[in-house]
Amino acid sequence: MPTLRDTIAEDLRTQITTGRLKPGDRLPSEPRLATHYKVSTPTVRQALALLQAEGLIEKAHGKGNFVRTPLRRITYTGGAGIPFAPDLQTTIRTTNIRARGHIRTLMKVPSSTPLTEFHCTTYEGETPRSVARIYVPRHLALATQLASSSWPGSRDAGRTETQETVTARLPTPEEATALRISTTRTVLTITRIVLNSTGRVLEAALLALPSDAADAVFTTHPPLKEETDR
């Protein structure tokens, strides 16, 4: 049986999807909504949190809740590192760091091993669409040529295996700030590890995209069956 929170969320959702509430419209205040639906303000906040998590509304501090302009969905293609499309722009910052904590574990290197971190943000116009932090052993990064049309490349030489883990979760404060989204809005995260034939990690990438406007596609090519009969 639907709860009061779900009932309120469904009514507002219908108003948004049918166009009664249009992108940019400000929703009534939480006290006014509570009076309209004859519920408590905390119940209204729970309903609004559902709509925020779905990407239908966004909350502007001190101003209220507004209907979001729907974003075009973008697609992450397995093995790409970060999503690319003709109308997406990418900014890249490079920093030299030492391997520690979670990054040291991902890279499978001793503590304080020199690494290069590439901090990438893709934009559609002025709207951030994805953020990624990509780590490479520094001696490999020295030969990397950065280009806007292909992810910091030339490191696939020697690659024999790529491992990718996809997770849906709430964003970290840093991700929420970089993507300009609410901390209640779910993100799709992809951890990509590239290895060579000896199991050495050539690259570790941590990507985050708002899950309500992104898809991840992975294509598997089965090995060719060897001919046994002539």
Side-chain angles (χ1 to χ4, degrees):
M1 181 176 179
T3 64
L4 289 173
R5 175 199 67 177
D6 295 331
T7 300
I8 295 168
E10 178 58 27
D11 183 51
L12 292 172
R13 187 183 297 111
T14 299
Q15 293 185 54
I16 293 170
T17 56
T18 59
R20 183 175 174 185
L21 287 171
K22 296 178 173 53
D25 284 356
R26 182 181 183 277
L27 271 63
S29 67
E30 292 176 359
R32 285 185 61 188
L33 287 173
T35 299
H36 174 74
Y37 289 109
K38 298 181 174 57
V39 297
S40 66
T41 301
T43 299
V44 167
R45 288 174 182 160
Q46 292 173 10
L48 295 176
L50 288 177
L51 300 179
Q52 289 174 24
E54 295 171 15
L56 292 175
I57 66 172
E58 57 188 349
K59 186 170 186 175
H61 184 68
K63 296 182 179 180
N65 294 286
F66 295 83
V67 179
R68 285 185 60 241
T69 300
L71 290 176
R72 177 179 61 87
R73 299 187 72 84
I74 61 174
T75 300
Y76 170 83
T77 302
I82 56 177
F84 283 103
D87 51 352
L88 292 181
Q89 300 82 44
T90 304
T91 63
I92 303 174
R93 297 200 316 268
T94 306
T95 307
N96 289 329
I97 65 170
R98 297 279 179 172
R100 291 185 175 83
H102 179 52
I103 302 306
R104 182 189 69 80
T105 302
L106 286 177
M107 295 295 297
K108 299 180 181 178
V109 294
S111 181
S112 296
T113 296
L115 303 175
T116 295
E117 176 190 67
F118 298 93
H119 186 189
C120 308
T121 305
T122 60
Y123 293 87
E124 183 175 3
E126 297 183 356
T127 303
R129 301 303 307 273
S130 73
V131 292
R133 291 185 181 274
I134 305 178
Y135 302 89
V136 182
R138 195 175 303 170
H139 70 281
L140 295 179
L142 292 176
T144 297
Q145 298 296 319
L146 300 183
S148 61
S149 60
S150 61
W151 161 231
S154 304
R155 289 193 306 281
D156 282 350
R159 177 185 70 175
T160 59
E161 182 180 345
T162 300
Q163 302 172 353
E164 294 186 283
T165 303
V166 182
T167 305
R169 59 166 172 77
L170 294 179
T172 65
E174 181 183 29
E175 290 167 343
T177 299
L179 292 169
R180 302 175 196 165
I181 61 174
S182 166
T183 54
T184 63
R185 186 176 167 194
T186 307
V187 292
L188 188 70
T189 64
I190 300 169
T191 301
R192 175 177 185 256
I193 306 296
V194 177
L195 305 98
N196 65 10
S197 58
T198 66
R200 180 183 182 185
V201 176
L202 302 178
E203 171 187 306
L206 308 174
L207 171 70
L209 314 91
S211 62
D212 60 312
D215 299 303
V217 176
F218 301 89
T219 302
T220 300
H221 298 284
L224 296 176
K225 182 178 180 181
E226 293 185 2
E227 291 185 4
T228 56
D229 298 324
R230 295 290 181 179

